[in-house]
Structures are given as structure tokens and as C-alpha cells.
């Protein structure tokens, strides 16, 4: 029996190669043999894409529907069905599909653009109701009547709820709801307590608050802050998330999202400062309240992380951060200190404490001076000191857990507190406690605090034996795995320095083997298995461990599957492990002279592990690609969660760059969605992370078909990251590959060329045309050759007082054939588009005639053809004197020889242009046709 997975992969290869019929054949065979429903859905979805290419829209819609039957949230299948239905003229059905797509993937620009286009195409139609009809007073009232009628049919209620939400998204609709007693009716919907009704009401409020300051302030006062907080406090993830979105809409409208001009009344009526302060106070109260669910607490912390720290560090106003530190820092530390295994704790999710640590870190980063940082430290110190009690062990472990939260957030603050007398000793002592919960908290704290080498040395001296005893004696798997991770971290304290191994030979490999064993144990809960990845994140700094891990395919695939899970606290550990396995971390360049000097002065010299050399790294990369690392990375990047920090994004960008190093692997990266996943990493995150992601994009765009690598509107989003690599501070390789990829993009269409110019890339490209490095100069000239069809570029060459045209003419005389071909191509297109440039090129250098002769005598047909086109352009330039001068030179003889040549398929283009030049010369009366005497 044929392997359906293999057939699917073959179909994918044929599809990406443009062999659609062969792809359909492979997918059809795979469908016959496939028994796995999920795999079958993917095959149907892929075949749907083939039918779209073939313009067989009925089949495309049918296959997409079969994929959707298995997974209703498959946005790729939904979008393909939308495309097919649109072509079949079923616009209402297509609109519903793209609406669902944009709900599942709210940041996808292709979906949003398609949704906007559908709205414009049939603006009046929303779910079979005209917008104007929906705006009528009776229609709005009717929607509420349906929703609040206990006996009404469920489908009608759902339809009315959707209509109400859609109506509220339009300003006129939102105003109509507001004016028609909508707020009290929406409050009635909230009071029903039914999830669907509550969600519809919250989303309607969100639409009404978007971009309208006055209406937002009115809604806040009519609904009340306590009511909004009580809704977000409900133990329902969807309701908590929807209410969080409502709070965000409110905040955006009150802080600048409303562009209306209110005139003199604005200062008197629309002073939002009190409302903003009340929102901040309400959120701070929520994070430490026992009445708030775990999901509600997560959303309160997320809102604070998004809106309290400054988005732009140049903004002098950071009063919100200072206020939050004064009124909420201890509350955040209280969340970090919670121990779920003890009674009377705050309700939390598995992500809550890490989100709190992220908030602590963001507040610390937002401080501007040392006195502010000293105050932050004092508040933390006071809180943790106040919790220590020799007679109450629960308070002690709460303090230690809060310290762990600081160590995962603003490490500098946590590290200073750990250094206080007695703290480390207490951690070690707690490891020996009889209570399992004490051991668990203490081991976790030791893991987080041993990042500094000095701390690791202390624990190696004082705590390793304790950790080993805990690991051997405890029957609690949760404690055992944490003790193992503690040993893993201590074993990796020397980093990738081969000479600084903390444990004896083979010990780290044994630890790693146990981590892999736990990782593969699907019977364990996700949180416990997560700690196995934490252990590997430390141990994979050892090259022997890296090699063994990538060789263990089940363990590697288990990690990739966990990376796709809902538990986003796992992202950082997975990213660390991948960075270590690909050796994509930052490496200091060591000068041989300094090594010799260090040896002479008996200083420590780091040593590279033999398995950290390039050939071993390449083998590991190949195995990771085969194991499905790209699909895991694409899911990790999509995580719409504050746990995907800038540091994590930077590590993912580093991994992508390492995976894209070999040009042969770039097709695999594109086929699994890696190109699309890189775009957000290149646009958001740390400065280094954005550069790394942009470089990975450049590598892909330089050798792949950009329309396949970045389908739809995404191709336009790639331009800005690529242009950022042209900055003089970027290295030569980044400059070169960015120029190659921009050349590739500029060759596709006018819209992309205009986008490149809008991103102000032209001056940088011109600058690199003067570069000493041959490869960079050639790439810049090729890029310019593809851009000269733009009017803006042509105008720059028409300007006086610069050497742009002169440089292009002189480049046509270079020995480098690629450079010569690009320069001649650019000159041929410029002189065809702007006749004035034909005359100007003869004035910029006296060697122009000699250079032109050299081009049309070249043995490369492509270069010769470009030279002959320039000759024709001069003859066609309306400058008769210049045309005459050209024909009176040796060029006429060369044209005659080429034109008289026998037809030759390899050189026919050249021969035809030469003949066209001779005909043009005859038309101008510069030569006479050859006639034989009678």
C-alpha cells in the first residue's frame, strides 16, 4: 500500500514546482490510502489549492469543505473556499468564510484586506440584511427583542447577535445602537449570564467604544467600572479575553485613538484622565483579588503590560509606571509568590506567574534614573523581608517564590536580593525540608538564581549533593524533574566552553538522557514535561548533548509538539534549546594574538568543542528540518501572547537564520510557512532580533520565487525589513543578500518597485553602486537595473550636478560581465524611456563611443543585445546630429556585419536589433539601401 504522507510530500513538491496536474494526481492517490482524518484534511486542503490554480472552482470549494468538516478552524481551507465561492459568484457565502478567517487570525493582513474588499463590493449586505435596514430604529430594537426573548429560536438569536456586533463596528451603526437605548439593553444581555449573550454584548460594546472618545466615556459611566471588572473576573477564557479587548478599545479611544475635532468643549467635557486612572486602579485591584478567576487575572496583567510602560522610550512621561510601582508592585509580587499546592491561594492559570514576571520586567525597563530603580528595589526588598517568618514556613516559601518571579523578570533586582545574607542558605535548607512543597519551591528558586557563575559555584559547593539526594529519594515526579533541571543548569554553568565542564565526563549526557525520557512520556502532564525541556535548554550548551538530542527523533518531535500546545510558558525554553542546537547564539570573535597572550599570562582560554564545528552544525540543522522544526517555529511565532517576549523573538529569528544558511534548505522553509512566519519577527522585537529575521528573509527572497515564499499581500510586507539591511551599520553579507532579494522583488511588478522607492531604498542602492566590493557593487547595479522603469528613478538620472549617469556608462566598460550586463541593461531602459538621456550620456564622458563599440562587439549575446538597444535608442532620440555622428563612426560597419549574418537561433535577437538599427538609419536618410546594378 502506498504511503499517504509520502504521496502528500511529493504533491507538495510538484505544487511548488508549478506542476499542478502532477500534484493533483499525488494528492488523489494519497486520499485513497489515507486513514488519518487530520492528514486527510490537509491533503484535501492542498488539492483545493491545486484546483484554484486550475480555475476548477467547484472542485476547489468541495475539497476545502471536506477539510473544514474535520477542523472548523482551518483558516487556510476556509480562505480557499472563500476564493472559490467568490469566483462562483456566491458572495454572501464567501463573505462568511473570510469573516471566520479574520476572527481566527485577526492579524492576517490578507484576510483583513479581502474582508474590506468584500465589504466594498457588497457594502450593504451583512448576513442577508442591508446595512441601511439594520440602521433603522425598528431593526435595532428587533435585534434586542430577539436576543432577550427566552423562547426565541437559537439560530435566530445567533444571527441577531452577529448582526449587532457587525453593526457596532461601523460608526453610524454604533451611534444608532447608542441613541436607541442600546446600553441598558446590552446590560440586560449581560445579566442573562449566558456565554453567547455575554460575548455578543461585550463585543458590541467594544465596537461602540472604538475610536469615539465621547461615546466611550458615556459607556464607562453608564456601565460602571465595577461591572466591567466583574465580567472579566468570570472563569471563562472567551469572556475574559473579549472583556480585555473591550478594555483595550476603551484605553485606545481615551488615549488618542479618536481623531475627531471636538473644539472648545474637549478640554471641559472630554478630560479622560480620571477614567484612565480609575481603569488602572481597577486592574491593579483585580490582580490580587481572590474573586478574580485565573483567566481574568491573566488578562488584567496583560492589559497592564500593554498599556502602562511607554511604547517609545523617547517619551518623557512614564508616570503610569511610577504609579503602578507605588500602588501595584506588591500586588504583582503577591501573584508571583502564590503556591498552587497550598490552600487559600489566588486562582491562577499555568501562565499567570510568568505573565506577572514579564510585567515586573517591563516596569523595571521603563524606569529612567537610579533613584527610581532604588525605589523599585526597596519596595521588592521590603515585601520579601516582610514575608520571612521563622515560625511560618508557608510565608517563607511565599517569599522565595516571589523571589523566583523577580529572577524570571528583572533579573538584576532578583539577583541583588538573592545575594543578601541568608537567602541562598535558606534555599539550600528548604531543599532538605520534609514537606514536598518546600522542596519544589526551593529547587525552582535555586534553578532561577544559579544563572550567575558565582551563584552556580556556591550551589555546586553547597547544594549539588542535596539535589542529588532529592532526585534519588523523592517519589514525587514533579520534584524529581525539578531537581534534575537544577542539576542540568549547574552542569551547564560553563556554557559552551569545553574546558569548563562542572561535572565529570558523561554526567551531562546521563542527565540529558533522563530529560529526553520524560519529554517522550506522553502520560505526564504538560507542565511536568515542560521542565524536561528546561533541562535540555541548559544541557544543550554541551555539543555531545546537542548531537544526541537531534539524533533522538521521538524526543525532538515531542518537543516540537509541546511548542504547539496552549501552554505558552514553554516558548522560551524551546527557543533556548533550538538556539543551542543550531549554535546561533552570539559568539565573541577571539583573536589568536590574545589567545597566545592569555596562555602566556596563565589566564583561562575558552575552548571550542570539536562537535561545535561547522560540519556538525550543518548535520544537526538537516536533522531538525527533517524533524519538523519549521512547523513548530511558525506556531510559536503566531502566539498572540505577552509571553512571546522580545528576547524569545530574537532567539527564534536566530534559529531561522541558522536554518536558512544553506540555500538548498530554503525551499523547505518556505514550503512549511517559514517565510510568512519571519515577517512579524522582522517588524517587531529587539533591534538584533529584527536584523536577524530580516537577514533570514533576505536569504530566502534572494533565491526563491517571492510570490510562492510570501503569497498574497505578504510580499509587500517583506520590503521594509530588506531595506533596513541596506543601512551602513549592517555587514557586507547582509547588504549583499538584501540587494539580491530587492532585485528579485523589483523584477516582479510596478507595485513592488513603488513600494521599494517609498521605503527610501533608492539613495542606499545608489550608494552601494560606488562600493569597492565587487559583489555588492554588482548586486546594487542589478537592483537599479530593475528599478529604472520607475519615473522617479528616471528623473534622478535626468537631474544635473551628479555622476549617476556617468557611473552607469563607465560600468559598461568593466571587465566583470555580470556588472557590465546590469549597467548596460539599465542604460538601455533609461535611454528608451527618456530620449534626453541619449544626448546626456554623450556629454558625461568622452569615452562613450568606445564603450558603446565594446558593448556591441561583446561575445556574450545578452550584453551585445543591450549595447545594440542603446544604439537604436540614440538613433530614435530625435537628435539628428548625434545619430549622424554615430553612423559616421565604426559602429555602422559593426551593425552591417551583424545584420548581414545568417539567421541563428542563439543570436537571433542580436541580429534582429542590428537590422532594426540599420532600417532606422535608412529612415533618417543617414544611409542608402544597397542596390545591385541592372
Amino acid at each position: 500500500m502506498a504511503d499517504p504522507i509520502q504521496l502528500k510530500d511529493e504533491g507538495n513538491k510538484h505544487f511548488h514546482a508549478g506542476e499542478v496536474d502532477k500534484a493533483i494526481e499525488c494528492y488523489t492517490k494519497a486520499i485513497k490510502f489515507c486513514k488519518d482524518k487530520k492528514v486527510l484534511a490537509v491533503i484535501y486542503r492542498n488539492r483545493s489549492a491545486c484546483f484554484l490554480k486550475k480555475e476548477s472552482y467547484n472542485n476547489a470549494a468541495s475539497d476545502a469543505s471536506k477539510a473544514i468538516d474535520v477542523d472548523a478552524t482551518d483558516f487556510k481551507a476556509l480562505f480557499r473556499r472563500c476564493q472559490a465561492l467568490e469566483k462562483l459568484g456566491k458572495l454572501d457565502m464567501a463573505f462568511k468564510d473570510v469573516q471566520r478567517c479574520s476572527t481566527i487570525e485577526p492579524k492576517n493582513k490578507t484576510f483583513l484586506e479581502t474582508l474590506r474588499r468584500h465589504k466594498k463590493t457588497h457594502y450593504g449586505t451583512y448576513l442577508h440584511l442591508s446595512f441601511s435596514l439594520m440602521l433603522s430604529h425598528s431593526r435595532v430594537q428587533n435585534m434586542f427583542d430577539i436576543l432577550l426573548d427566552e423562547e426565541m429560536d437559537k439560530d435566530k438569536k445567533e444571527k441577531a447577535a452577529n448582526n449587532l456586533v457587525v453593526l457596532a463596528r461601523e460608526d453610524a451603526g454604533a451611534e444608532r445602537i447608542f441613541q436607541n437605548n442600546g446600553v441598558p439593553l446590552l446590560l440586560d444581555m449581560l445579566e442573562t449570564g449566558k456565554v453567547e449573550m455575554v460575548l455578543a454584548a461585550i463585543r458590541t460594546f467594544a465596537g461602540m467604544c472604538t475610536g469615539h472618545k465621547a461615546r466611550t466615556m458615556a459607556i464607562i459611566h453608564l456601565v460602571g467600572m465595577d461591572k466591567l471588572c466583574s465580567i472579566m473576573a468570570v472563569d471563562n477564557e472567551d469572556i475574559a479575553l473579549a472583556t480585555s479587548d473591550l478594555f483595550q478599545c476603551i484605553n485606545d479611544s481615551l488615549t488618542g485613538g479618536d481623531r475627531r475635532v471636538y473644539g472648545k468643549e474637549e478640554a471641559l467635557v472630554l478630560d479622560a484622565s480620571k477614567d484612565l486612572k480609575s481603569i488602572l486602579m481597577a486592574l491593579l485591584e483585580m490582580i490580587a483579588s481572590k474573586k478574580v478567576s485565573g483567566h481574568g487575572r491573566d488578562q488584567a496583567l496583560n492589559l497592564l503590560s500593554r498599556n502602562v510602560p511607554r511604547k517609545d522610550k523617547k517619551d518623557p512621561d512614564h508616570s503610569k509606571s511610577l504609579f503602578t510601582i507605588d500602588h501595584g508592585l506588591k500586588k504583582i509580587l503577591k501573584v508571583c509568590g502564590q503556591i498552587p499546592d497550598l490552600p487559600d491561594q489566588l486562582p491562577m492559570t499555568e501562565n499567570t506567574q510568568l505573565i506577572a514576571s514579564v510585567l515586573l520586567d517591563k516596569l523595571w525597563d521603563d524606569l529612567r534614573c537610579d533613584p527610581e530603580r532604588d525605589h523599585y528595589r526597596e519596595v521588592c526588598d521590603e515585601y520579601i523581608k516582610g514575608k520571612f517568618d521563622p515560625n511560618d514556613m508557608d510565608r517563607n516559601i511565599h517569599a522565595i517564590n516571589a523571589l523566583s518571579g523577580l529572577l524570571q523578570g528583572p533579573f538584576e533586582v532578583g539577583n541583588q536580593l538573592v545575594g543578601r545574607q541568608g537567602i541562598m542558605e535558606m534555599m539550600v535548607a528548604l531543599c532538605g525540608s520534609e514537606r514536598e512543597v518546600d522542596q519544589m519551591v526551593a529547587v525552582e528558586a535555586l534553578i532561577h538564581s544559579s544563572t550567575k557563575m558565582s551563584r552556580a559555584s556556591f550551589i555546586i559547593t553547597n547544594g549539588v549533593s542535596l539535589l542529588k539526594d532529592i532526585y534519588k529519594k523523592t517519589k514525587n515526579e514533579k520534584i524529581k524533574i525539578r531537581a534534575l533541571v537544577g542539576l542540568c543548569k549547574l552542569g551547564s554553568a560553563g556554557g559552551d566552553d569545553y574546558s569548563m565542564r562542572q561535572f565529570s565526563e558523561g554526567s551531562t549526557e546521563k542527565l540529558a538522557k533522563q530529560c529526553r525520557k520524560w519529554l517522550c512520556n506522553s502520560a505526564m502532564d504538560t507542565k511536568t514535561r515542560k521542565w524536561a525541556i528546561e533541562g535540555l535548554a541548559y544541557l544543550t550548551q554541551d555539543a555531545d548533548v546537542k548531537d544526541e538530542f537531534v539524533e533522538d527523533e521521538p524526543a525532538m518531535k515531542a518537543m516540537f509538539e509541546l511548542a504547539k500546545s496552549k501552554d505558552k510558558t514553554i516558548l522560551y525554553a524551546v527557543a533556548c534549546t533550538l538556539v543551542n542546537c543550531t549554535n546561533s547564539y552570539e559568539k565573541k570573535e577571539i583573536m589568536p594574538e590574545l589567545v597566545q597572550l592569555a596562555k602566556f599570562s596563565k589566564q583561562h582560554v575558552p575552548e571550542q568543542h570539536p562537535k561545535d564545528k561547522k560540519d556538525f552544525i550543518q548535520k544537526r540543522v538537516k536533522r531538525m528540518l527533517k524533524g519538523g522544526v519549521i512547523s513548530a517555529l511558525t506556531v510559536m511565532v503566531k502566539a498572540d501572547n505577552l509571553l512571546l517576549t522580545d528576547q524569545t523573538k530574537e532567539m527564534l529569528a536566530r534559529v531561522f537564520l541558522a536554518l536558512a544558511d544553506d540555500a538548498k534548505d530554503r525551499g523547505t522553509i518556505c514550503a512549511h510557512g517559514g517565510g510568512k512566519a519571519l515577517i512579524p519577527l522582522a517588524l517587531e522585537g529587539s533591534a538584533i532580533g529584527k536584523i536577524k529575521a530580516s537577514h533570514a528573509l533576505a536569504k530566502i527572497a534572494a533565491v526563491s520565487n517571492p510570490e510562492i515564499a510570501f503569497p498574497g499581500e505578504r510580499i509587500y510586507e517583506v520590503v521594509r525589513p530588506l531595506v533596513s539591511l541596506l543601512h551602513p551599520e549592517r555587514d557586507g553579507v547582509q547588504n549583499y543578500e538584501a540587494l539580491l532579494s530587492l532585485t528579485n522583488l523589483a523584477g516582479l511588478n510596478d507595485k513592488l518597485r513603488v513600494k521599494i522607492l517609498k521605503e527610501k531604498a533608492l539613495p542606499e542602492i545608489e550608494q552601494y553602486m560606488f562600493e569597492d566590493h565587487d559583489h555588492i557593487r554588482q548586486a546594487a547595479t542589478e537592483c537599479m537595473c530593475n528599478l529604472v522603469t520607475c519615473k522617479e528613478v528616471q528623473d534622478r538620472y535626468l537631474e544635473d550636478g551628479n555622476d549617476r549617469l556617468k557611473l552607469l556608462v563607465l560600468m559598461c566598460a568593466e571587465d566583470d560581465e555580470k556588472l557590465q550586463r546590469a549597467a548596460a541593461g539599465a542604460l538601455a531602459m533609461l535611454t528608451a524611456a527618456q530620449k534626453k538621456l541619449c544626448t546626456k550620456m554623450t556629454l558625461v564622458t568622452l569615452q562613450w563611443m568606445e564603450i558603446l563599440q565594446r558593448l556591441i562587439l561583446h561575445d556574450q549575446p545578452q550584453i551585445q543585445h543591450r549595447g545594440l538597444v542603446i544604439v537604436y535608442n540614440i538613433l530614435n532620440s530625435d537628435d539628428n546630429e548625434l545619430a549622424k555622428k554615430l553612423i559616421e563612426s565604426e559602429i555602422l560597419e559593426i551593425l552591417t556585419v551583424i545584420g548581414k549574418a545568417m539567421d541563428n537561433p542563439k543570436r537571433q535577437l542580436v541580429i534582429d536589433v542590428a537590422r532594426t538599427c540599420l532600417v532606422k538609419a535608412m529612415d533618417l536618410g543617414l544611409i542608402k539601401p544597397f542596390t545591385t546594378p541592372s
Side-chain angles (χ1 to χ4, degrees):
M1 185 179 286
D3 181 5
I5 302 290
Q6 191 177 342
L7 285 165
K8 176 179 76 74
D9 291 342
E10 282 179 25
N12 293 349
K13 287 176 185 175
H14 287 307
F15 181 78
H16 289 299
E19 298 165 345
V20 179
D21 289 327
K22 289 183 180 178
I24 290 172
E25 191 179 329
C26 289
Y27 293 141
T28 305
K29 285 181 183 176
I31 287 166
K32 288 179 183 176
F33 297 113
C34 188
K35 303 296 181 188
D36 187 322
K37 281 189 177 181
K38 287 186 178 180
V39 176
L40 193 61
V42 173
I43 299 168
Y44 273 122
R45 186 180 72 200
N46 291 357
R47 195 170 72 169
S48 174
C50 294
F51 284 132
L52 279 173
K53 288 271 186 189
K54 296 274 290 178
E55 298 182 8
S56 178
Y57 300 121
N58 279 314
N59 287 331
S62 173
D63 274 4
S65 296
K66 287 171 184 173
I68 295 161
D69 289 342
V70 176
D71 181 5
T73 61
D74 187 341
F75 57 87
K76 288 185 180 178
L78 281 165
F79 190 62
R80 281 169 195 165
R81 189 169 72 176
C82 162
Q83 291 173 301
L85 291 170
E86 186 178 1
K87 294 291 184 182
L88 292 167
K90 299 176 181 179
L91 298 181
D92 288 334
M93 293 169 73
F95 180 69
K96 282 184 182 180
D97 279 348
V98 76
Q99 254 194 331
R100 284 169 69 187
C101 289
S102 61
T103 305
I104 297 164
E105 286 278 299
K107 291 186 178 179
N108 189 305
K109 292 191 177 179
T110 305
F111 297 162
L112 293 174
E113 185 59 40
T114 308
L115 190 61
R116 276 194 290 271
R117 180 164 52 76
H118 271 274
K119 283 182 180 179
K120 286 177 184 176
T121 306
H122 50 293
Y123 180 75
T125 306
Y126 287 107
L127 303 171
H128 305 286
L129 282 170
S130 71
F131 191 71
S132 57
L133 191 63
M134 286 167 68
L135 274 176
S136 68
H137 172 80
S138 59
R139 179 61 66 181
V140 172
Q141 187 60 49
N142 188 39
M143 287 180 202
F144 282 113
D145 290 342
I146 292 169
L147 288 165
L148 295 170
D149 186 346
E150 290 288 333
E151 297 176 3
M152 187 57 69
D153 180 68
K154 186 181 178 183
D155 289 341
K156 284 187 178 180
K157 278 193 171 188
E158 188 179 331
K159 193 174 180 180
N162 286 335
N163 286 334
L164 199 63
V165 174
V166 169
L167 189 63
R169 287 175 186 162
E170 302 292 337
D171 190 56
E175 191 61 26
R176 173 62 69 188
I177 295 170
F178 185 76
Q179 295 295 340
N180 287 348
N181 202 34
V183 175
L185 291 168
L186 288 167
L187 284 170
D188 290 342
M189 287 173 66
L190 291 174
E191 291 301 324
T192 63
K194 294 177 181 177
V195 174
E196 297 81 7
M197 300 284 276
V198 173
L199 285 172
I202 294 167
R203 287 166 182 162
T204 304
F205 273 130
M208 292 167 70
C209 290
T210 300
H212 199 297
K213 191 174 183 180
R215 193 162 58 226
T216 300
M217 291 177 72
I219 288 169
I220 291 171
H221 291 284
L222 288 167
V223 176
M225 196 57 63
D226 291 342
K227 182 66 178 177
L228 290 172
C229 291
S230 68
I231 298 164
M232 194 161 79
V234 172
D235 190 16
N236 181 294
E237 189 174 1
D238 291 335
I239 291 175
L241 183 59
T243 316
S244 172
D245 289 339
L246 170 57
F247 267 112
Q248 191 63 52
C249 291
I250 291 170
N251 182 79
D252 291 346
S253 292
L254 298 183
T255 56
D258 186 358
R259 302 297 178 198
R260 289 171 181 75
V261 177
Y262 289 98
K264 293 178 181 177
E265 294 86 3
E266 182 165 13
L268 297 171
V269 182
L270 299 180
D271 180 11
S273 57
K274 286 184 179 179
D275 287 329
L276 287 167
K277 187 176 179 181
S278 67
I279 291 169
L280 183 54
M281 285 297 293
L283 292 174
L284 291 174
E285 285 300 318
M286 283 188 75
I287 59 176
S289 170
K290 286 185 179 177
K291 295 177 182 177
V292 177
S293 69
H295 296 301
R297 201 176 319 281
D298 284 2
Q299 294 308 326
L301 290 164
N302 279 334
L303 284 165
L304 290 168
S305 288
R306 282 195 209 105
N307 300 302
V308 171
R310 292 166 294 168
K311 290 178 175 63
D312 183 0
K313 291 292 186 279
K314 292 177 183 176
D315 180 1
D317 182 17
H318 66 316
S319 55
K320 284 191 285 187
S321 289
L322 297 178
F323 183 88
T324 303
I325 289 166
D326 288 339
H327 296 85
L329 184 54
K330 288 184 178 180
K331 293 173 181 175
I332 303 167
L333 288 169
K334 181 180 178 179
V335 174
C336 290
Q338 298 299 297
I339 296 109
D341 293 338
L342 292 180
D344 201 31
Q345 301 294 297
L346 297 176
M348 294 190 301
T349 69
E350 55 200 8
N351 296 331
T352 305
Q353 287 176 304
L354 195 52
I355 297 171
S357 292
V358 170
L359 176 55
L360 288 172
D361 192 41
K362 287 193 171 188
L363 291 171
W364 173 257
D365 284 343
D366 203 41
L367 299 178
R368 295 172 59 195
C369 58
D370 288 342
E372 291 173 359
R373 294 186 186 96
D374 290 340
H375 174 61
Y376 186 106
R377 287 192 197 95
E378 284 165 11
V379 174
C380 294
D381 192 22
E382 183 187 329
Y383 180 83
I384 287 168
K385 270 185 183 176
K387 290 293 175 185
F388 281 124
D389 184 347
N391 300 317
D392 190 341
M393 192 57 74
D394 286 357
R395 287 175 64 84
N396 289 337
I397 60 173
H398 178 92
I400 295 295
N401 218 32
L403 195 52
S404 286
L406 280 167
L407 288 163
Q408 292 175 84
F411 181 81
E412 186 182 332
V413 180
N415 188 51
Q416 193 171 356
L417 294 176
V418 168
R420 297 283 168 88
Q421 188 175 3
I423 300 283
M424 287 295 289
E425 288 79 2
M426 177 171 281
M427 289 183 192
V428 173
L430 282 171
C431 286
S433 169
E434 292 180 4
R435 285 204 314 176
E436 289 185 341
V437 68
D438 297 344
Q439 292 178 11
M440 194 181 301
V441 170
V443 171
E444 280 191 32
L446 283 174
I447 291 167
H448 297 310
S449 62
S450 60
T451 299
K452 291 280 184 185
M453 188 65 189
S454 56
R455 303 261 182 271
S457 302
F458 172 87
I459 300 167
I460 287 168
T461 307
N462 298 281
V464 167
S465 57
L466 260 174
L467 288 174
K468 284 182 178 176
D469 284 345
I470 291 169
Y471 177 70
K472 289 175 183 174
K473 293 175 183 177
T474 186
K475 292 179 181 178
N476 187 321
E477 291 289 317
K478 292 180 180 178
I479 297 174
K480 188 184 278 281
I481 198 164
R482 283 164 175 78
L484 177 68
V485 173
L487 291 168
C488 292
K489 189 166 186 179
L490 297 173
S492 64
D496 64 347
D497 183 354
Y498 187 44
S499 62
M500 288 283 286
R501 289 193 167 199
Q502 301 297 319
F503 295 156
S504 60
E505 188 78 33
S507 296
T508 49
E509 286 90 328
K510 287 178 183 175
L511 291 170
K513 187 177 180 181
Q514 185 59 48
C515 283
R516 297 201 308 272
K517 183 180 173 184
W518 265 322
L519 181 58
C520 293
N521 186 355
S522 56
M524 279 185 165
D525 63 282
T526 303
K527 197 168 183 180
T528 306
R529 291 169 72 200
K530 180 196 80 172
W531 280 99
I533 301 175
E534 289 273 358
L536 288 168
Y538 300 123
L539 292 177
T540 46
Q541 292 182 68
D542 184 304
D544 288 319
V545 175
K546 296 177 201 181
D547 256 29
E548 287 179 7
F549 176 64
V550 297
E551 291 290 331
D552 188 346
E553 195 170 322
M556 191 165 55
K557 286 187 174 180
M559 185 180 81
F560 295 157
E561 285 305 311
L562 280 174
K564 300 174 188 177
S565 68
K566 284 187 177 181
D567 184 359
K568 299 306 175 188
T569 59
I570 212 163
L571 297 176
Y572 185 78
V574 174
C576 283
T577 307
L578 295 175
V579 164
N580 290 338
C581 290
T582 55
N583 282 50
S584 49
Y585 41 76
E586 202 68 51
K587 304 176 195 71
K588 289 183 180 177
E589 196 172 331
I590 301 170
M591 296 173 65
E593 296 85 357
L594 290 178
V595 172
Q596 293 302 320
L597 186 64
K599 285 180 178 176
F600 180 75
S601 58
K602 296 183 179 177
Q603 296 294 317
H604 172 70
V605 179
E607 291 179 24
Q608 186 186 38
H609 195 291
K611 290 184 178 178
D612 273 333
K613 290 179 179 173
K614 192 169 183 180
D615 53 338
F616 282 95
I617 297 169
Q618 287 173 340
K619 285 177 185 174
R620 288 200 290 269
V621 164
K622 301 286 183 192
R623 288 197 68 85
M624 289 168 73
L625 285 166
K626 188 180 176 184
V629 66
I630 300 298
S631 61
L633 286 169
T634 53
V635 173
M636 290 168 75
V637 170
K638 285 178 186 174
D640 184 18
N641 196 298
L642 284 170
L643 297 179
L644 187 65
T645 59
D646 287 352
Q647 192 177 359
T648 308
K649 288 178 187 174
E650 182 183 319
M651 288 194 288
L652 296 178
R654 288 178 180 278
V655 173
F656 266 120
L657 183 58
L659 296 172
D661 189 56
D662 188 345
K664 294 175 185 175
D665 296 328
R666 293 171 199 170
T668 305
I669 294 170
C670 292
H672 292 88
K676 293 177 282 187
L678 273 165
I679 296 171
L681 294 178
L683 296 172
E684 297 172 2
S686 67
I688 294 172
K690 288 192 283 189
I691 292 165
K692 299 288 182 187
S694 299
H695 192 188
L697 280 173
K699 284 181 177 291
I700 291 168
V703 298
S704 308
N705 179 347
E707 291 174 308
I708 293 174
F710 316 105
E713 295 296 312
R714 289 190 183 90
I715 196 167
Y716 300 100
E717 296 176 50
V718 177
V719 175
R720 183 174 296 171
L722 297 178
V723 172
S724 71
L725 294 179
L726 299 181
H727 195 279
E729 289 183 7
R730 306 286 91 82
D731 64 44
V733 175
Q734 290 169 344
N735 297 155
Y736 175 67
E737 290 183 327
L739 287 165
L740 286 181
S741 51
L742 286 170
T743 304
N744 212 355
L745 291 173
L748 290 175
N749 58 54
D750 282 332
K751 194 176 174 183
L752 272 168
R753 287 189 278 273
V754 170
K755 176 69 175 171
I756 292 168
L757 298 181
K758 277 186 179 177
E759 294 295 339
K760 300 178 182 176
L762 196 55
E764 304 290 352
I765 295 166
E766 287 178 340
Q767 180 185 328
Y768 287 116
M769 287 174 72
F770 290 90
E771 179 67 44
D772 290 334
H773 195 288
D774 291 342
H775 284 42
I776 293 177
R777 186 167 52 144
Q778 172 210 315
T781 310
E782 287 175 346
C783 190
M784 184 60 73
C785 179
N786 281 354
L787 289 171
V788 292
T789 55
C790 293
K791 183 73 168 58
E792 186 182 329
V793 180
Q794 294 164 15
D795 290 343
R796 288 172 77 92
Y797 278 92
L798 284 167
E799 290 170 6
D800 293 324
N802 62 71
D803 291 329
R804 292 189 186 98
L805 190 62
K806 182 178 180 179
L807 176 67
L808 214 53
V809 175
L810 293 175
M811 279 180 171
C812 292
E814 291 281 346
D815 292 331
D816 184 338
E817 287 185 356
K818 288 183 179 179
L819 178 63
Q820 197 178 13
R821 184 173 66 227
L827 196 58
M829 285 188 279
L830 281 168
T831 50
Q834 298 290 342
K835 293 182 178 182
K836 290 179 183 178
L837 289 175
C838 295
T839 307
K840 189 177 178 182
M841 71 168 276
T842 65
L843 303 174
V844 294
T845 174
L846 297 172
Q847 301 169 8
W848 69 273
M849 184 76 79
E850 182 186 329
I851 292 168
L852 204 51
Q853 288 176 12
R854 184 174 175 183
L855 286 176
I856 63 177
L857 285 169
H858 207 283
D859 56 358
Q860 285 289 331
Q862 287 184 325
I863 295 172
Q864 191 179 19
H865 174 256
R866 285 160 168 75
L868 288 164
V869 170
I870 297 168
V871 171
Y872 176 79
N873 292 339
I874 292 172
L875 293 171
N876 195 41
S877 66
D878 302 334
D879 187 337
N880 293 331
E881 287 300 316
L882 181 57
K884 186 178 178 183
K885 188 176 180 180
L886 198 68
I887 293 301
E888 287 174 352
S889 70
E890 294 176 4
I891 285 178
L892 176 59
E893 188 180 341
I894 299 167
L895 289 172
T896 306
V897 171
I898 298 170
K900 284 183 175 180
M902 296 286 289
D903 286 353
N904 181 345
K906 291 182 180 179
R907 304 184 67 84
Q908 195 59 45
L909 203 59
V910 171
I911 295 165
D912 288 345
V913 178
R915 290 171 181 171
T916 306
C917 289
L918 291 168
V919 171
K920 185 65 182 177
M922 282 191 287
D923 292 344
L924 293 170
L926 300 174
I927 58 172
K928 292 180 181 179
F930 177 76
T931 55
T932 53
S934 55

